[in-house]
Amino acid sequence: QVHLVESGGGLVQPGGSLRLSCTAPGFTLDDWTIGWFRQAPGKEREAVSCIESSNSRTHYVDSVKGRFTISRDNAKNTVYLQMNSLKPEDTAVYYCHEAARVRDMCVKVDFGDWGQGTEVTVSS
């Protein structure tokens, strides 16, 4: 069973920055396409970004383009989501998981459970 662990969330003011980390001890994240997803209270979970395993191509939902950057550090076996210029609408619990590209979208693969996520709150 693969357990992905998210960290780095917190409370930040609008315009601020956070860097989220995704790790999977005992597994090599470089072998997988990894996506970041988020869910705000009362809203459906949405894909934010993903990074492909084969060529490291990155993809972003329109609402975060130019503000968020997904990346890998293979030496640390970690996938990051650098979030800049944060807005209140970015407030959500953020999750990482193995993903796939389907219809030009980042989607969670069917197997595997969501982790506990890391909470991001953007508020003044």
Side-chain angles (χ1 to χ4, degrees):
Q1 183 69 34
V2 179
H3 298 282
L4 281 75
V5 180
E6 304 93 343
S7 63
L11 174 64
V12 65
Q13 293 185 342
S17 298
L18 287 172
R19 188 179 70 169
L20 308 183
S21 298
C22 175
T23 63
F27 297 87
T28 303
L29 292 181
D30 190 33
D31 293 337
W32 304 340
T33 296
I34 299 296
W36 282 99
F37 307 81
R38 68 185 181 187
Q39 186 170 26
K43 297 183 179 180
E44 296 182 354
R45 200 189 310 262
E46 66 170 344
V48 177
S49 178
C50 61
I51 181 167
E52 297 181 33
S53 62
S54 59
N55 54 18
S56 293
R57 282 179 57 88
T58 58
H59 308 274
Y60 303 91
V61 68
D62 286 344
S63 61
V64 309
K65 286 182 178 178
R67 300 189 298 118
F68 291 10
T69 303
I70 190 170
S71 63
R72 297 181 187 270
D73 186 332
N74 293 334
K76 297 181 179 179
N77 196 34
T78 302
V79 173
Y80 299 102
L81 185 67
Q82 178 68 45
M83 306 185 296
N84 299 326
S85 302
L86 283 163
K87 303 176 180 180
E89 51 263 43
D90 296 317
T91 296
V93 178
Y94 285 71
Y95 305 86
C96 64
H97 201 278
E98 185 180 357
R101 292 284 292 172
V102 179
R103 296 180 179 178
D104 297 320
M105 298 182 295
C106 303
V107 300
K108 174 190 175 295
V109 296
D110 288 336
F111 57 87
D113 297 326
W114 296 108
Q116 296 187 32
T118 186
E119 186 172 359
V120 172
T121 301
V122 184
S123 176
S124 60

